[in-house]
Amino acid sequence: MAKNEPIGLPAEDGDEHDFPVSPEALDRGQRARLIRRTRTALGLSQSEFASRFHVPVGTLRDWEQARATAPDFAVAYVRVIARHPQMVAEAVA
């Protein structure tokens, strides 16, 4: 396997509830975790975060629950929010 080749996780033998995870699903999950951790670190509910930073609440929920993959621009936006939440809130107000 090449150094930067994406990996998946096979299902664990003997665990009937486990399932394989594709590289795309791992990426989606990591993006979801980043978004959720950023929101919770700010002490905001999903609706508060969505309102403050002008993200549709349904979209935010889909991203956080990994039902949809947050696009690169959204991940970048969340990273800026994590570092400068007040500045971003003022800029989009």
Side-chain angles (χ1 to χ4, degrees), residues 48-60:
E48 290 168 333
F49 185 94
S51 176
R52 182 171 297 173
F53 299 111
H54 296 260
V55 177
V57 70
T59 300
L60 178 65

Side-chain angles (χ1 to χ4, degrees), residues 39-68:
R39 178 183 60 76
T40 58
L42 295 173
L44 299 173
S45 68
Q46 287 179 332
S47 59
E48 290 168 333
F49 185 94
S51 176
R52 182 171 297 173
F53 299 111
H54 296 260
V55 177
V57 70
T59 300
L60 178 65
R61 285 185 184 128
D62 286 346
W63 291 343
E64 284 194 9
Q65 295 171 7
R67 287 193 298 245

Side-chain angles (χ1 to χ4, degrees), residues 7-85:
I7 62 166
L9 295 174
E12 187 174 341
D13 291 337
D15 184 346
E16 66 185 56
H17 299 291
D18 199 15
F19 53 90
V21 178
S22 69
E24 295 80 17
L26 281 173
D27 181 55
R28 189 171 56 245
Q30 289 172 329
R31 290 169 185 245
R33 181 178 291 155
L34 168 72
I35 294 166
R36 189 174 49 256
R37 283 184 175 170
T38 299
R39 178 183 60 76
T40 58
L42 295 173
L44 299 173
S45 68
Q46 287 179 332
S47 59
E48 290 168 333
F49 185 94
S51 176
R52 182 171 297 173
F53 299 111
H54 296 260
V55 177
V57 70
T59 300
L60 178 65
R61 285 185 184 128
D62 286 346
W63 291 343
E64 284 194 9
Q65 295 171 7
R67 287 193 298 245
T69 302
D72 291 343
F73 78 87
V75 172
Y77 183 48
V78 169
R79 287 182 174 144
V80 174
I81 290 169
R83 290 190 177 127
H84 308 286

